[in-house]
Amino acid sequence: MSKPLRMGNTPQSQASDDGAVSNSEVSADVRSSHVSANPSQLNDIDTALEELMTTIAGERSAASFACGGTIPISKTDTNDGANATPTSPLVKVYWSLQEEINARKVILPLDHTSADSSPAALKQLVSDCSPATFGRGNEDILDPSYRQAGKMEPANFTTTFHPADFRIITLIERILLPSVSDHTENSLMGRAIFAELYKLNVYSGPSGFFRSHVDTPRSVRQVGSLVVCLPAAFKGGNLLVRHQGKEIDFDWAPTSAIAIQWAAFYSDCSHEIKTVTEGERLTLTYNLYVTEPEHAVTVIPSSLVEPWTLPLYGQLNALFHNSQFFPNGGVLGIYCAHAYAHTSEDASINLPRTLKGSDLVFYSVLDALGATVEILPVLGHRKDNYYWDTDCESEDGELIGTGLHAHRKSCFSTESHSLNDIVCDEWPHERVTGITWLTGQKHWEEALSYIAYGNQSTISTRYSAAAIFAAIPNWEERSST
């Protein structure tokens, strides 16, 4: 993220002397658009926001049933740090149909500099593949009217490309696995993904295709599939993945000759491969299984996942390209769906790099669309039926922390200080109005402890929830990019 989120300095907003954002912020932007905009356009915005909230409030898997990305090919190792765009060396595929025959080899992408990197080598691999079947119940069916493709079993080939080398498996864990895990498993990071190489498939022009289908699970522990498209030129062959009325179109043809491209999706997603009109669409398919986790936290390069491959992208992209959506700018707020230690000593380091599931999806998509995105704590108004005192209740707005920090412990007491003064002095924050919230609070952590006086002194605690905030640029800025 290039710049910090400034709640009080979004377009068309004015900050008062006490640091609170005035009503000219988001809510005023919406009101002013209602004055001049066409009522039907406003209804469209309201409907789009309601649909977005429904997506978020409903099954979280609707926001994260698929993901994908691109890895450029490089003949030299150009990676120079954790944030560099990952690149892959040339990909080599070795194969042999019989043990006593020396393995053949093809180097991709084809550069015509050797026999192993020539069209003849790729043609030999294609010809050595057998007709591909598909599963129907417990049967393997061969039906060229339903699937026209070639296949090779893992026992007959090997490749120098491994998804784990590029952190693809770890990224899939973070995006897809949380939606099929329960709360305890997500909190304890109790599960991980194992990718098992399943097949090498070839869809050849001008007639390779696979009609819409749902993969047959190979195990009760299988949660999804990974498809890796190797660098070989082709046209057509779009992979369409559908789930709960939404569709992601993976169009790999334009960069098929120069990059590795991949997609992962849940086992219950229907998907199809459109007709390959030219060339050879060469893919590695993997079954994704739940397994025991690796407990080390790993930084994932943000450039590895392409936001347009995330299902929520279409809904938010449509809003961003509508002139009636926050015409003067505004702020969206999304409380995190998963629990994070956002009041720990290292919270500012671990977030957003440890986001997972729909939280990672929201953050990535909003950032890609040009919003300034930040994760900040929100101090709760009540916890366990304990309400703020009169001073705090009388003020408008949300208490948004100025940054992620550890749980604060105050030596002040309510005998000599008001709760409002304690919060102002001990918990750095801004009071913000006009946030458009898409979700409600879900996970709380201890944020501020202080001495409370009643009949006797006790330690009382205020709680905070982590939220993703996106400062949306005004329409003029959005339309110029």
Side-chain angles (χ1 to χ4, degrees):
M1 186 169 54
S2 59
K3 56 181 184 278
L5 181 65
R6 299 300 181 194
M7 292 294 185
N9 296 306
T10 52
Q12 305 299 320
S13 67
Q14 298 289 330
S16 60
D17 293 338
D18 63 359
V21 178
S22 74
N23 289 335
S24 63
E25 219 246 48
V26 179
S27 56
D29 295 340
V30 176
R31 287 199 302 272
S32 64
S33 69
H34 279 224
V35 174
S36 58
N38 186 311
S40 64
Q41 291 177 317
L42 296 175
N43 289 336
D44 290 342
I45 293 296
D46 290 341
T47 300
L49 282 171
E50 288 174 2
E51 291 175 350
L52 185 60
M53 291 179 186
T54 299
T55 297
I56 298 169
E59 261 193 88
R60 286 284 180 149
S61 62
S64 57
F65 64 83
C67 59
T70 296
I71 304 171
I73 298 294
S74 174
K75 294 184 179 181
T76 59
D77 185 5
T78 57
N79 293 341
D80 56 358
N83 295 321
T85 300
T87 60
S88 170
L90 298 175
V91 178
K92 300 175 183 179
V93 179
Y94 302 85
W95 78 96
S96 176
L97 301 185
Q98 298 180 34
E99 290 184 4
E100 65 272 14
I101 298 178
N102 291 333
R104 297 186 173 96
K105 178 174 68 172
V106 64
I107 302 175
L108 302 171
L110 303 180
D111 61 11
H112 308 275
T113 59
S114 67
D116 293 330
S117 190
S118 66
L122 179 57
K123 184 177 181 180
Q124 184 63 57
L125 172 61
V126 174
S127 65
D128 284 345
C129 289
S130 58
T133 59
F134 60 92
R136 182 180 293 164
N138 295 323
E139 296 183 88
D140 280 331
I141 307 296
L142 179 61
D143 183 353
S145 68
Y146 195 83
R147 185 185 192 187
Q148 184 74 34
K151 69 171 183 178
M152 186 172 290
E153 301 291 337
N156 298 117
F157 78 93
T158 188
T159 175
T160 56
F161 177 81
H162 303 289
D165 293 344
F166 301 91
R167 310 278 177 80
I168 292 175
I169 305 304
T170 307
L171 183 61
I172 293 171
E173 287 174 355
R174 289 174 57 189
I175 293 179
L176 299 186
L177 187 55
S179 292
V180 294
S181 301
D182 62 31
H183 174 69
T184 300
E185 289 169 333
N186 281 329
S187 299
L188 300 178
M189 298 182 67
R191 302 203 294 179
I193 293 257
F194 168 72
E196 178 186 66
L197 182 60
Y198 178 59
K199 290 283 195 304
L200 181 149
N201 288 118
V202 179
Y203 293 84
S204 301
S207 57
F209 71 96
F210 197 173
R211 299 193 189 280
S212 182
H213 63 286
V214 177
D215 288 337
T216 302
R218 303 289 164 176
S219 163
V220 294
R221 298 179 69 84
Q222 184 175 350
V223 295
S225 299
L226 167 65
V227 181
V228 175
C229 188
L230 298 180
F234 64 88
K235 293 183 179 180
N238 293 39
L239 169 64
L240 306 181
V241 182
R242 305 182 183 97
H243 182 67
Q244 296 184 1
K246 301 183 187 304
E247 178 183 283
I248 302 297
D249 182 350
F250 293 91
D251 182 7
W252 291 333
T255 55
S256 57
I258 59 173
I260 296 167
Q261 299 169 92
W262 62 272
F265 45 89
Y266 291 132
S267 295
D268 60 348
C269 291
S270 65
H271 52 286
E272 69 175 293
I273 299 168
K274 306 300 285 186
T275 302
V276 175
T277 57
E278 292 183 24
E280 310 291 348
R281 183 184 184 275
L282 189 65
T283 61
L284 304 174
T285 58
Y286 299 79
N287 293 327
L288 301 176
Y289 299 97
V290 172
T291 185
E292 295 301 315
E294 296 179 9
H295 293 284
V297 175
T298 309
V299 178
I300 307 299
S302 60
S303 58
L304 189 59
V305 65
E306 294 180 330
W308 68 264
T309 68
L310 302 171
L312 196 71
Y313 183 88
Q315 285 178 276
L316 283 168
N317 186 49
L319 280 172
F320 269 62
H321 286 85
N322 190 316
S323 61
Q324 302 307 316
F325 173 66
F326 289 164
N328 301 315
V331 176
L332 288 178
I334 301 169
Y335 283 100
C336 290
H338 299 284
Y340 308 101
H342 73 272
T343 62
S344 64
E345 293 287 348
D346 55 0
S348 61
I349 298 174
N350 287 339
L351 288 172
R353 66 178 64 178
T354 56
L355 288 178
K356 56 188 177 182
S358 56
D359 297 331
L360 178 57
V361 170
F362 297 141
Y363 188 99
S364 300
V365 170
L366 288 165
D367 181 65
L369 289 172
T372 301
V373 192
E374 190 164 2
I375 303 170
L376 296 170
V378 183
L379 205 63
H381 289 287
R382 66 186 179 92
K383 179 66 178 177
D384 297 332
N385 296 321
Y386 184 95
Y387 286 85
W388 289 106
D389 65 8
T390 304
D391 289 340
C392 287
E393 287 182 340
S394 64
E395 297 190 46
D396 293 327
E398 305 280 355
L399 276 65
I400 311 297
T402 55
L404 293 169
H405 52 70
H407 172 211
R408 299 293 177 91
K409 298 178 181 179
S410 174
C411 60
F412 293 124
S413 73
T414 57
E415 183 179 38
S416 55
H417 297 78
S418 71
L419 178 54
N420 185 65
D421 288 341
I422 294 175
V423 171
C424 288
D425 291 341
E426 301 291 311
W427 201 79
H429 69 277
E430 295 179 8
R431 191 178 290 275
V432 183
T433 62
I435 299 170
T436 299
W437 286 103
L438 300 180
T439 63
Q441 300 101 321
K442 187 174 182 180
H443 302 288
W444 298 94
E445 287 207 352
E446 294 183 354
L448 173 64
S449 297
Y450 57 94
I451 302 171
Y453 268 86
N455 294 329
Q456 58 183 1
S457 61
T458 60
I459 300 297
S460 189
T461 302
R462 299 276 61 79
Y463 293 76
S464 67
I468 300 170
F469 293 97
I472 312 300
N474 61 38
W475 171 245
E476 182 178 355
E477 184 177 346
R478 298 200 309 267
S479 61
S480 65
T481 57

